Amino acid sequence: MSATPESSSIDDVEKKAPGPTGTMEKDVGDGAISAPDSEYERYLELHHQFDGPARAKLIRKLDWRLLPTLSFLYLMCSLDKSNAGNAKLFGFLEDVGMSPTQFNLALMYLFFTYGLCEPISNIALRRLGPKIWFPIIVCAWGLITTLTCLVNNYASYVVVRLMLGLSEAGLYPGSFFILSMWFTPKELATRMAIFYGANTAAGAFGGVIAYGVGNLDGVNGWRAWKWLFLIEGLITIFAGLVCFLLLPHFPHQYTAEKKSKWLDPDELEYAKLRVKYCNGPNAPTYVFRWSDVLAAAKDRKTYLMMMLFWWGGSVPTYSLSYTLPTMVNNLGYSAVKAQALTTPPYIFATCVCVFVGWMSDRYQKRFFSIMGCYTLGLIGIIILWITVHHKNLYGVSYFAIFLAAAGYSAQAPIVGAWTSVNVPNPSKRAAAIGLLMLFGSVGGGSIGSNIYLASEAPYYPLGFGFSVGATVLGAMIPATIHWWLMRRDNAKREQMVSAEVHEQYTQEALSEMGENSPLFRYTL
């Protein structure tokens, strides 16, 4: 819905309370909790109690507990997935005996296991919780990254990339889902943008780390690319062990026996109820049901958002991350200096990403935020496409990289937030996020890693042309259709009389309907 209790007055929240006859009984969480009206009344009581500074203090606690941990994990995930582009400049292909075509194919293969395992991993996360599932997958991909330093031929590198995709698959969609379980719709895009900023920051850190590792070339008889994989892999394994201590359970997983050590009882209860009842008294069930997973697979919203993530996100973002060091190198800089010069565009992209997320939350205009990002990225790609033909315009080309990196990075958290806020049922939301990222990762990653061909450097006609076409036809048009359809649904529901809706449906039926309820309003 476009308005939530956290952003509205106490009176606005109380207007959503059901009348004296509005009662129901259903299961929530991992156990049975009856009399939801009583639970909603408890939520209203806590909402009064946490009005003002107390609520701000709670949100700060959530921010500091979740965002640094998830962001650092995503930083390492992005580094471990994209460090191949840096290793390439340090003689990786020559040492392993791979051709540029084989290298691109190996990069592509990662996304098959990565995409296929995203919905599976999100379902496992929904069942096991982040405190168990995340340390397993993080330590697994850290070990695989470390072992990459032992690769000695094309076949072994393909195996490593397939296993890396398998283990990394759960981090990105899982983190979006974790944030959606702790933060309300009006808070979500900013948090997702800060989290996703770790991906753009990875480009900056990756360049700095590669610059430093480049000076280790030949130490103990090892090439720089071996040191790169070893160092980043060991850091990731350490992070996986630490996140077991830092990551909390889902709010509804805490019980009388499993108490929180970082939130007091009232804070934990309010953190749980404020997300559950952010759309009013018709709360979704928190019981995991396979029927909700199937509902996500049948929902048109899943596939329209998948188009945005695929063509407007994965294709240009992955292609840029894999070829940016080479692009900068083609502007006339040495390999080591090119690594360092990839850092400023990613720092700029991180700042833009967080700013767009904040603006999207402040004004609740997801569609216009996404379209602004696509436009910025498109302008950067078009300028770069033109200026690479003129070597004297290398400064303009470098500026265009800033625009492209910022635009295509900033759209991703808004896609995640737009999906999350319009799917209130947690199980359906987890499945929808996983499914849209499945196709986006397999399609976007496999295509993005193969459109900027080494044989076409430095002009890359296929890469630039494909990126422009994918953005306009594959992302901007589907985004407009998605916005128009939801706007049409909202307009129809505005014509309905609330009292008549309550006469026709029970509270339980309205809760079961989720975003299809006549009382639900999509965030546009």
Side-chain angles (χ1 to χ4, degrees):
M1 297 176 73
S2 59
T4 68
E6 273 50 304
S7 60
S8 57
S9 67
I10 295 294
D11 291 339
D12 290 336
V13 174
E14 292 177 337
K15 286 176 184 177
K16 296 181 179 180
T21 60
T23 59
M24 61 178 178
E25 182 171 332
K26 64 187 183 72
D27 291 337
V28 294
D30 291 332
I33 299 177
S34 61
D37 279 356
S38 298
E39 190 178 64
Y40 186 72
E41 289 169 5
R42 173 60 176 161
Y43 161 66
L44 293 177
E45 178 186 336
L46 288 169
H47 195 68
H48 277 278
Q49 180 181 329
F50 281 87
D51 188 35
R55 188 183 309 150
K57 179 183 176 182
L58 171 62
I59 293 174
R60 280 197 303 271
K61 278 190 175 184
L62 299 180
D63 284 336
W64 283 106
R65 185 73 177 196
L66 292 166
L67 289 175
T69 304
L70 292 176
S71 297
F72 183 74
L73 292 179
Y74 193 42
L75 171 68
M76 296 312 302
C77 178
S78 301
L79 284 175
D80 294 342
K81 189 163 59 210
S82 62
N83 55 15
N86 294 320
K88 180 181 177 182
L89 290 182
F90 291 140
F92 177 59
L93 270 64
E94 293 79 6
D95 291 349
V96 176
M98 277 193 294
S99 68
T101 300
Q102 287 178 320
F103 178 71
N104 285 342
L105 288 174
L107 296 183
M108 178 183 70
Y109 294 148
L110 173 142
F111 295 100
F112 293 143
T113 50
Y114 186 88
L116 290 172
C117 291
E118 280 181 307
I120 298 172
S121 181
N122 247 24
I123 292 170
L125 172 65
R126 176 69 177 86
R127 301 298 299 272
L128 299 175
K131 201 170 188 65
I132 296 175
W133 186 240
F134 265 37
I136 293 173
I137 62 174
V138 174
C139 288
W141 96 61
L143 178 61
I144 293 165
T145 300
T146 302
L147 295 176
T148 308
C149 68
L150 303 178
V151 164
N152 56 15
N153 55 45
Y154 172 61
S156 60
Y157 188 55
V158 168
V159 171
V160 162
R161 295 296 290 184
L162 288 172
M163 296 304 296
L164 190 63
L166 179 72
S167 55
E168 284 192 340
L171 194 279
Y172 183 48
S175 296
F176 272 25
F177 181 60
I178 291 170
L179 292 174
S180 75
M181 294 293 282
W182 284 99
F183 293 100
T184 63
K186 279 215 168 183
E187 302 161 351
L188 201 52
T190 303
R191 274 74 191 178
M192 287 186 174
I194 293 172
F195 161 75
Y196 189 79
N199 180 54
T200 53
F205 280 102
V208 172
I209 292 173
Y211 180 77
V213 170
N215 296 315
L216 294 176
D217 195 28
V219 175
N220 291 333
W222 272 31
R223 293 298 306 276
W225 64 266
K226 286 180 176 282
W227 287 110
L228 182 66
F229 289 124
L230 178 65
I231 292 171
E232 291 184 358
L234 291 175
I235 294 173
T236 302
I237 293 174
F238 176 75
L241 296 174
V242 171
C243 78
F244 177 77
L245 302 174
L246 297 181
L247 274 183
H249 298 284
F250 285 131
H252 66 275
Q253 290 182 315
Y254 288 101
T255 62
E257 295 76 25
K258 189 188 293 183
K259 296 181 179 179
S260 169
K261 296 180 181 179
W262 60 288
L263 295 175
D264 65 42
D266 281 352
E267 286 177 330
L268 178 61
E269 187 178 10
Y270 181 55
K272 181 191 306 182
L273 297 180
R274 76 191 194 103
V275 174
K276 181 177 179 181
Y277 291 104
C278 65
N279 292 319
N282 304 316
T285 179
Y286 273 50
V287 173
F288 177 82
R289 301 178 304 191
W290 285 104
S291 59
D292 294 325
V293 176
L294 185 60
K298 294 179 177 179
D299 195 333
R300 74 158 194 255
K301 297 191 298 295
T302 301
Y303 296 97
L304 285 169
M305 295 305 294
M306 176 268 290
M307 294 289 286
L308 273 63
F309 183 74
W310 182 351
W311 299 110
S314 292
V315 169
T317 300
Y318 282 123
S319 62
L320 197 63
S321 67
Y322 283 129
T323 58
L324 184 55
T326 303
M327 283 185 182
V328 177
N329 185 222
N330 289 337
L331 294 180
Y333 301 100
S334 67
V336 174
K337 194 170 184 180
Q339 302 283 15
L341 286 174
T342 61
T343 300
Y346 281 117
I347 293 176
F348 176 70
T350 302
C351 296
V352 172
C353 188
V354 174
F355 175 73
V356 171
W358 176 78
M359 290 289 288
S360 176
D361 270 347
R362 180 177 177 85
Y363 296 104
Q364 290 294 288
K365 301 294 184 183
R366 311 297 191 196
F367 169 72
F368 292 107
S369 298
I370 288 176
M371 293 297 279
C373 294
Y374 289 150
T375 302
L376 181 63
L378 199 60
I379 291 172
I381 287 292
I382 292 174
I383 293 176
L384 192 57
W385 192 1
I386 295 171
T387 56
V388 291
H389 291 271
H390 306 279
K391 290 188 176 182
N392 60 316
L393 297 178
Y394 61 89
V396 180
S397 296
Y398 189 54
F399 169 72
I401 291 174
F402 278 73
L403 301 183
Y408 288 121
S409 295
Q411 56 79 36
I414 312 303
V415 170
W418 205 13
T419 302
S420 298
V421 301
N422 287 323
V423 184
N425 181 289
S427 298
K428 182 180 178 182
R429 188 192 317 138
I433 293 172
L435 287 169
L436 76 90
M437 291 186 180
L438 184 163
F439 294 103
S441 296
V442 173
S446 59
I447 293 171
S449 59
N450 283 287
I451 57 177
Y452 286 88
L453 305 177
S455 60
E456 296 184 345
Y459 306 120
Y460 301 112
L462 174 63
F464 289 129
F466 200 100
S467 295
V468 170
T471 303
V472 176
L473 301 177
M476 298 178 84
I477 292 177
T480 304
I481 293 172
H482 186 49
W483 171 80
W484 183 84
L485 290 172
M486 291 195 297
R487 183 171 174 267
R488 182 195 63 181
D489 290 342
N490 281 354
K492 288 180 179 178
R493 294 173 187 180
E494 288 293 343
Q495 303 302 316
M496 299 179 182
V497 179
S498 179
E500 293 179 357
V501 171
H502 282 291
E503 288 179 5
Q504 185 176 356
Y505 302 100
T506 64
Q507 290 284 90
E508 186 174 12
L510 290 170
S511 297
E512 192 68 25
M513 293 167 72
E515 71 270 25
N516 296 317
S517 165
L519 300 180
F520 187 90
R521 298 295 182 271
Y522 290 112
T523 297
L524 303 178

